């Protein structure tokens, strides 16, 4: 291949290729030559064409820092092309354009068959929930097994995923754009349209204006919200939020009273919907308190398992609803192709999220940009189509 080279052992073919390996927490990742084993039963090996750096990668590398999850290959927001398939795989064939999904969908369990959830009973048999890595891994480096972050590991020229964690997409879709649908954009957009179920004419507040928050703003706009209040401590993000449909902008640092009181004063008692996209527990509570007490809906999107969130029961008993949203409520194998089509039909923005383009060799630079809040999304070119 152009990017990797083959090592043939018997009838099996191992690909030797380039990947960004995180050997230990809170240290730069290192570009290494790794071995990618052939796909086993129900698995698919993919050539990654483009991958983006998501805050979840930074959280795992810099914040959670569980040493048992290293060494690992990060990356989970990507798009690529099927290279080969394992035994029993009939849905995919070499050459298919695909997007890996960190939330598998078997299609057979009671959760997959229910419209009430995008969870899958078999998903957590494939992923170690405590470490967010695959139970099995097909990646190794110098004889040492590498964990596969989120079951995907897309900071690599090639990777292997379970067939339930893969969505086939339109062959004409630009992979360097639609890769964003693999996590952040679907997560924020779906939190508004699927989880909150924002209604036309409503008032919304979105806390945190990274890619996920901006996608939530876009979701509120497309759902028909009349007023969308963008909340962030970095006022430089407000112009970008306006592009996605925000109508009002609030920087909590500009006020000497709690943000929920600021929003209550602006909206005659609180917003109809609030969407929290920061992963900070104090913001989760503020977002809840910013909703109108009688019917407000607040959605937690930001991820953390480091701290507990505290609240008083009186904040809910009057009629507020507090909900969580994972991957925007989308069932991966079905929702991802639909989001790709929405982009192709110009009903969904993607290009506007991309502030930087780099190569896999520059992944540490991309991580630093996100760490310093100097980007929305950086897309890394990994392989040529």
């Amino acid at each position: 291949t152009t990017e990797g080279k083959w090592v043939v052992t018997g009838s099996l073919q191992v690909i030797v290729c380039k990947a960004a390996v995180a050997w230990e927490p809170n240290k730069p990742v290192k570009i290494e030559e790794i071995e990618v084993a052939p796909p086993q039963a129900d698995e698919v090996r993919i050539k990654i064409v483009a991958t983006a750096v998501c805050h979840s990668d930074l959280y795992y590398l810099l914040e959670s820092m569980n040493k048992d999850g290293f060494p690992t290959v990060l990356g989970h927001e990507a798009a690529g092309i099927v290279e080969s398939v394992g035994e029993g795989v009939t849905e995919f064939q070499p050459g298919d354009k695909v997007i890996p999904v960190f939330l598998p969908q078997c299609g057979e369990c009671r959760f997959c068959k229910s419209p009430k959830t995008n969870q899958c009973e078999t998903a957590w048999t494939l992923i170690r929930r405590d470490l967010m890595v695959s139970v099995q891994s097909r990646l190794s480096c110098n004889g040492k097994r590498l964990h596969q972050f989120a079951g995907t590991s897309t900071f690599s020229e090639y990777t292997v995923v379970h067939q339930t964690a893969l969505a086939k997409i339109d062959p004409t879709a630009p992979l360097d754009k639609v890769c964003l649908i693999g996590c952040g954009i679907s997560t924020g957009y779906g939190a508004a349209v699927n989880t909150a179920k924002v209604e036309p004419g409503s008032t919304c507040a979105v806390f945190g204006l990274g890619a996920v928050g901006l996608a939530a703003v876009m979701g509120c706009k497309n759902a028909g919200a009349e007023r969308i209040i963008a909340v962030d401590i970095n006022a430089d993000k407000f112009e970008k939020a306006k592009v996605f449909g925000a109508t009002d902008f609030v920087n909590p640092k500009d006020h000497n009273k709690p943000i929920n009181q600021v929003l209550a004063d602006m909206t005659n008692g609180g917003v109809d919907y609030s969407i929290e996209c920061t992963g900070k527990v104090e913001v989760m509570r503020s977002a809840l308190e910013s909703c109108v007490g009688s019917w407000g809906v607040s959605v937690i999107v930001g991820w953390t398992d480091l701290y507990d969130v505290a609240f008083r029961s009186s904040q809910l008993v009057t009629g507020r609803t507090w909900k969580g949203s994972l991957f925007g409520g989308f069932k991966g194998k079905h929702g991802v192709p639909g989001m790709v089509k929405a982009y192709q039909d110009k009903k969904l923005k993607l290009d506007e999220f991309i502030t930087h383009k780099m190569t896999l060799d520059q992944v540490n630079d991309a991580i630093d940009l996100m760490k310093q809040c100097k980007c929305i999304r950086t897309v890394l070119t990994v392989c040529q189509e």
Side-chain angles (χ1 to χ4, degrees):
T1 66
T2 303
E3 290 80 16
K5 59 185 179 181
W6 303 100
V7 176
V8 181
T9 55
S11 60
L12 301 178
Q13 294 179 324
V14 174
I15 293 180
V16 178
C17 68
K18 189 165 58 177
V21 178
W23 288 105
E24 55 185 319
N26 206 25
K27 293 290 178 64
V29 300
K30 187 177 180 181
I31 301 297
E32 302 276 14
E33 193 172 75
I34 72 165
E35 298 81 41
V36 182
Q40 301 302 301
D42 300 321
E43 294 178 345
V44 180
R45 187 159 60 183
I46 310 163
K47 178 172 75 170
I48 298 297
V49 173
T51 186
V53 178
C54 173
H55 190 270
S56 297
D57 299 308
L58 268 69
Y59 175 84
Y60 192 86
L61 180 66
L62 305 175
E63 295 182 47
S64 65
M65 295 193 295
N66 189 328
K67 292 185 177 181
D68 291 338
F70 294 83
T72 189
V73 176
L74 297 169
H76 61 285
E77 190 174 279
I81 299 170
V82 172
E83 178 273 331
S84 59
V85 301
E87 182 182 352
V89 176
T90 57
E91 183 182 352
F92 304 97
Q93 59 186 6
D96 285 345
K97 283 190 175 183
V98 291
I99 291 178
V101 290
F102 65 87
L103 189 62
Q105 181 187 351
C106 74
E108 298 298 327
C109 72
R110 62 186 177 122
F111 288 171
C112 282
K113 291 180 178 180
S114 170
K116 297 178 180 179
T117 182
N118 65 344
Q119 298 295 299
C120 172
E121 282 188 308
T122 63
W124 300 114
T125 67
L126 304 173
I127 302 286
R128 283 191 58 182
R129 199 165 188 167
D130 58 332
L131 298 177
M132 286 304 295
V133 298
S134 295
V135 173
Q136 302 290 333
S137 176
R138 306 298 170 211
L139 311 184
S140 60
C141 182
N142 299 323
K144 188 172 183 63
R145 180 179 182 268
L146 302 174
H147 288 299
Q148 287 192 239
F149 174 64
T152 54
S153 287
T154 60
F155 289 174
S156 175
E157 292 178 333
Y158 288 84
T159 191
V160 176
V161 302
H162 197 273
Q163 65 172 338
T164 61
L166 197 62
K168 183 157 59 176
I169 62 172
D170 189 305
T172 65
L175 300 184
D176 61 336
K177 305 293 195 310
V178 300
C179 61
L180 303 185
I181 291 172
C183 183
I185 309 312
S186 298
T187 296
Y189 188 85
V193 300
N194 297 330
T195 310
K197 300 187 187 304
V198 170
E199 296 177 331
S202 60
T203 297
C204 304
V206 175
F207 291 73
L209 299 177
V212 174
L214 292 172
V217 169
M218 179 169 60
C220 293
K221 170 72 172 176
N222 287 5
E226 184 176 314
R227 194 175 181 190
I228 305 167
I229 305 170
V231 182
D232 201 289
I233 59 174
N234 183 354
D236 293 340
K237 296 181 179 181
F238 292 159
E239 280 303 311
K240 179 68 79 170
K242 186 182 294 184
V243 171
F244 292 99
T247 59
D248 299 78
F249 310 93
V250 177
N251 184 340
K253 290 184 175 181
D254 293 339
H255 301 272
N256 57 9
K257 55 185 174 182
I259 186 63
N260 61 294
Q261 292 182 23
V262 174
L263 295 184
D265 291 344
M266 292 173 63
T267 57
N268 190 28
V271 299
D272 300 306
Y273 303 95
S274 68
I275 303 174
E276 177 281 322
C277 303
T278 69
K280 299 184 182 301
V281 294
E282 63 273 15
V283 180
M284 295 173 188
R285 177 167 175 170
S286 292
L288 173 68
E289 294 172 339
S290 297
C291 285
V292 64
S294 300
W295 61 69
V297 175
S298 186
V299 179
I300 295 175
V301 181
W303 173 274
T304 183
D305 59 2
L306 298 179
Y307 307 102
D308 294 331
V309 59
F311 71 100
R312 294 178 179 177
S313 61
S314 60
Q315 294 167 332
L316 292 176
V317 295
T318 58
R320 287 188 180 103
T321 301
W322 210 2
K323 308 174 77 172
S325 184
L326 183 62
F327 197 49
F330 285 109
K331 292 180 184 288
K333 294 176 81 71
H334 296 154
V336 165
M339 289 284 279
V340 171
K341 186 178 188 306
Y343 169 69
Q344 292 177 305
D345 292 343
K346 302 189 184 306
K347 296 177 181 178
L348 187 80
K349 297 180 187 295
L350 290 179
D351 303 52
E352 293 82 356
F353 288 94
I354 301 171
T355 54
H356 298 77
K357 295 181 179 181
M358 297 182 177
T359 65
L360 181 62
D361 290 329
Q362 297 170 292
V363 62
N364 282 309
D365 295 332
I367 289 171
D368 286 342
L369 279 174
M370 178 160 280
K371 187 178 176 181
Q372 297 167 20
C373 299
K374 292 183 177 179
C375 69
I376 301 299
R377 271 295 187 267
T378 299
V379 173
L380 306 175
T381 298
V382 183
C383 293
Q384 299 300 315
E385 289 192 36

